[in-house]
Amino acid sequence: MSKRLKIGIVVLGLALLPMGCMVGPKYSRPEEQKAERYQNTEIPIDTAKSVVNLKWFDVFDDDVLEGLINKGIENNYDLKIAMARLERARAELGYSKADLLPSFSYGGTINANKDAFIPSNVGVNMNWELDFWGKVRHENKALNAELLATDEARKVILTGIISNIAVSYFQLRDLDNQLDITKKTLIARQESFNIINERFIKGYTSEVDKVQIEQQVAIAEAGIPRIERQITFLENVISVLIGQVPGPIERGKSNNDQRITVDIPLSLPSKLLENRPDIREAELRYMAANERIGVAQAMRYPSFNIAAMAGFANSELSDLFLNSSYLQNASAGVVGPIFNFGKNKRRVEIFRQEAEQSKLFYQKAYLIAVSEVEQSLKDVKTYKEEWQARNKQVMAARKNLELSNARYYNGYVSYLEVLDVQRNLYEAELELSRLTQQQLSATVDLYRALGGGWN
């Protein structure tokens, strides 16, 4: 058997070494403190349905709001940044996969002096580090998990953009309503001032009544620029969310006319593990960290290399490409650590602790998700109950103002009583407006907490 054939057999044998000798831990999903049911609902849970299958555009009944959300999906810069991160993660995975294959290079040297130490030469080289212990495969699995986690992170950002646009829009429409209430209150108080001032001039009422109503007119006047300032702030917030230069935001339905068009289906708390992109992202990050333990362990073992070259070399440049100048060679090598004062062992421990942190973060993410659903369920229920009570208060306050005005103009009570009733009505109407917005926002928060199908 020729020497060249023996080298070829050795090279082939090394190349065909079993690729399944992967060191490192096997992945298993961590245990969670699973909740059997939600505490803050009496709604029966239908495990056949999932909010993840309910698309956001089926939830809202406002074309303007849907248009703003579509602009956000198309133009939001946070989402564009997330897409760039996703493409980078995809490129990193492709870059790492190439390490499983041999690398090829070429080179050449031309020397005019035939007595030079290195003769003129040209050739092709091949180098291949065999992934015997699974170092590259572990890294590829880690990068693949990170790629998927990055995509889940993109979904988290997408969820946040849509829900933030919806909540900010409801807050904006609430401020519009508060502005309308304040302007109507100002008109009513100015009319009262005109009447009381006329009565004061004629001597039918005291200056105290006149000063008190002047004060209430000023309070209503001061409320208008404050609300207008808040409106501009929210318009700027929405403009940034939809990726456009700050400016006026188009309005659609008022909050009083808004309707959540569907009942949001509840699933078992364990379904959050499938629905919530942030939980899936946390698990994938843990999977990646677990794989890198294997990378660190593989670095403690020797690595195997195969090298080959073919080309021409000759001290005479004119004879470089003659058959007699042709040469080729193949080789195999091994290199490994001997003693590094515990660095290799500590490297494994570092990655093991990083994986432990990722696991704990995943378990915490699940608890946070369940608590957010519990809070959202409670918010939806209690805001509805609070709104109903506050609406009764507004109805009663309006009737009370009507009666108090009549009592005052007939001389039965002082104007102080009327002012007190006016203040109560104004505050109750503003609070009712806020509760209307909070009901809508709570429903959006519930949909988001359940891992709604924003995609």
Side-chain angles (χ1 to χ4, degrees), residues 154-174:
R154 177 192 64 84
K155 294 176 185 177
V156 172
I157 293 173
L158 177 63
T159 299
I161 290 168
I162 296 173
S163 57
N164 287 340
I165 290 174
V167 169
S168 297
Y169 180 80
F170 294 146
Q171 290 173 342
L172 180 63
R173 299 303 282 133
D174 169 44

Side-chain angles (χ1 to χ4, degrees), residues 185-214:
T185 299
L186 176 60
I187 291 171
R189 290 181 181 180
Q190 285 174 331
E191 290 174 350
S192 296
F193 170 77
N194 293 335
I195 295 172
I196 292 172
N197 187 53
E198 188 71 24
R199 288 167 61 86
F200 169 71
I201 292 173
K202 293 179 178 179
Y204 297 145
T205 188
S206 67
E207 188 176 5
V208 173
D209 290 351
K210 175 178 173 290
V211 172
Q212 285 175 335
I213 188 60
E214 281 181 332

